[in-house]
Amino acid sequence: MGQDYYAILTLTKSAGDADIKKAYRKLSLKFHPDKNQETGTLEKFKRVAEAYDVLSDCKKKAVYDQFGEEGLKCGVPEGSGQTGAFTHGYTFHGDANKVFKEFFGGDNPFNEFYDGVDGDLSMGFGGLYGRGRKKQDASIERDLVLSLEEVYHGCTKKMKISRRVMNEDGHTSSERDKILTITVKKGWKEGTRITFPKEGDQGPNNVPADIVFIVRDKAHPRFKRNGNDLIFTAKVLLGKALTGCSVEIPTLDGRLLNIPINDIVSPGYQKVVPGEGMPLSSADTKQKGNLIIQFDIEFPKQLTPEKKQLIKEALF
């Protein structure tokens, strides 16, 4: 009994051209001697190549479907068969690597499809024909807006994404939601990038894109952030700016600081309070940046003659 080329490719006689190519792609990669060193796989690799060589050629396939392997290899009557002439019998050239290279393209096509990231063989551009390795889509970037309190204390954020996921048939996809969990560390600076590899849309001929969340500071009613430092603007009356005062500042962790200002508050003057800024994410979480107090001096809108005279006597 002759070889069953359809069975070798795990197909039935109803298989079409696309099915034949898909089956050869799968089995040739599975039994290629560069990947599979088990006993007998080389022979399987050759049988798969011969089966594909026959079934991918419409003339050979037609003869094989009608007369089987014996008719294919021994020849069959030409035309009506009354002339006594026979077709030339088919003989497989025996070079399975030649079939493999012609199918995938290139002088060393096997290496072309080796994915060094996960160790799997994968097909890319060209679908069933397998011309080139899969390319990854460009990263998808999204803002992760955080309040200063969230960055100060650290928190957990759950982000819902919608993406296309391949169905079990390997050809169609559907849109599904997924929750990604981000553990926000204390002191993360604006611009910090959190990457979720390959969480983008799936497709038959692509590697899903990475999804990247980028930390952005949410506007705060009291503070601005500059790196690890917090900046607070205090409004003081001109008289207190000249004679001294104290500034009360509610902190991000619920305390109330009372900072004495004994210097003359001149334009551009700043008061630095060490260790009352944001936690340092790259160091011991007990370390913090500074609190920088800037001043907005409020001048009186008008003065009585008596007050003007007193000021002149005090300053001039």
Side-chain angles (χ1 to χ4, degrees):
M1 185 175 180
Q3 294 190 84
D4 186 342
Y5 291 132
Y6 288 101
I8 291 173
L9 294 182
T10 65
L11 297 170
T12 64
K13 282 193 174 183
S14 63
D17 184 62
D19 298 319
I20 294 168
K21 288 182 171 64
K22 183 177 180 181
Y24 174 72
R25 179 192 68 177
K26 177 181 177 181
L27 294 173
S28 63
L29 292 173
K30 178 180 179 181
F31 296 126
H32 195 287
D34 284 356
K35 184 182 181 185
N36 195 328
Q37 302 291 330
E38 293 181 7
T39 303
T41 53
L42 179 58
E43 186 60 34
K44 292 178 182 178
F45 182 62
K46 291 179 179 179
R47 287 203 301 269
V48 166
E50 181 177 344
Y52 176 74
D53 189 54
V54 172
L55 298 182
S56 63
D57 185 296
C58 59
K59 292 183 179 180
K60 297 174 189 174
K61 182 176 180 295
V63 173
Y64 175 74
D65 287 346
Q66 186 174 358
F67 300 102
E69 184 189 17
E70 184 177 356
L72 176 69
K73 293 187 174 180
C74 295
V76 297
E78 289 185 322
S80 63
Q82 297 176 356
T83 62
F86 278 69
T87 61
H88 292 290
Y90 164 77
T91 302
F92 180 54
H93 52 68
D95 191 347
N97 279 318
K98 178 182 178 182
V99 177
F100 188 84
K101 290 178 182 180
E102 288 176 350
F103 181 87
F104 290 110
D107 293 331
N108 193 4
F110 184 77
N111 289 338
E112 204 172 42
F113 296 96
Y114 189 82
D115 188 340
V117 175
D118 54 22
D120 292 330
L121 287 166
S122 57
M123 304 307 298
F125 179 79
L128 297 176
Y129 299 92
R131 297 279 182 179
R133 64 184 298 181
K134 288 185 179 181
K135 292 184 179 179
Q136 186 173 22
D137 294 339
S139 297
I140 300 171
E141 297 184 351
R142 296 185 179 182
D143 288 344
L144 177 62
V145 181
L146 300 173
S147 68
L148 290 184
E149 284 84 359
E150 288 175 322
V151 180
Y152 186 91
H153 296 287
C155 64
T156 298
K157 304 289 285 187
K158 294 186 180 295
M159 311 297 292
K160 185 171 80 170
I161 63 169
S162 296
R163 61 173 187 160
R164 300 208 68 82
V165 178
M166 293 300 296
N167 297 324
E168 292 183 359
D169 60 15
H171 299 287
T172 61
S173 63
S174 56
E175 189 169 293
R176 300 178 190 174
D177 292 337
K178 183 174 183 178
I179 302 297
L180 301 178
T181 301
I182 302 174
T183 302
V184 178
K185 295 182 179 180
K186 294 181 180 181
W188 266 1
K189 295 181 180 179
E190 187 170 33
T192 297
R193 300 168 68 90
I194 306 97
T195 301
F196 289 86
K198 301 180 182 180
E199 289 290 357
D201 290 340
Q202 297 178 356
N205 299 317
N206 75 304
V207 176
D210 295 341
I211 294 184
V212 181
F213 290 94
I214 303 174
V215 173
R216 304 295 183 197
D217 284 344
K218 183 178 180 180
H220 196 274
R222 296 192 305 277
F223 299 105
K224 289 183 179 180
R225 178 159 67 146
N226 182 18
N228 297 315
D229 296 334
L230 288 175
I231 299 174
F232 179 85
T233 299
K235 290 185 177 182
V236 295
L237 296 173
L238 175 60
K240 291 186 176 181
L242 295 174
T243 59
C245 61
S246 63
V247 176
E248 290 187 346
I249 304 175
T251 64
L252 293 175
D253 56 359
R255 293 174 294 122
L256 183 64
L257 298 178
N258 193 310
I259 308 299
I261 309 297
N262 298 317
D263 300 325
I264 294 175
V265 179
S266 57
Y269 172 82
Q270 295 181 339
K271 177 72 172 181
V272 178
V273 183
E276 289 292 348
M278 296 296 289
L280 273 62
S281 60
S282 59
D284 186 342
T285 54
K286 294 181 180 180
Q287 296 184 23
K288 298 177 183 177
N290 298 325
L291 170 63
I292 300 174
I293 306 173
Q294 299 178 342
F295 294 88
D296 180 8
I297 303 173
E298 294 183 331
F299 284 75
K301 294 181 179 179
Q302 60 183 12
L303 290 172
T304 64
E306 291 79 7
K307 289 182 178 179
K308 287 183 180 180
Q309 184 60 38
L310 289 172
I311 292 174
K312 286 180 181 180
E313 293 175 357
L315 299 179
F316 300 101

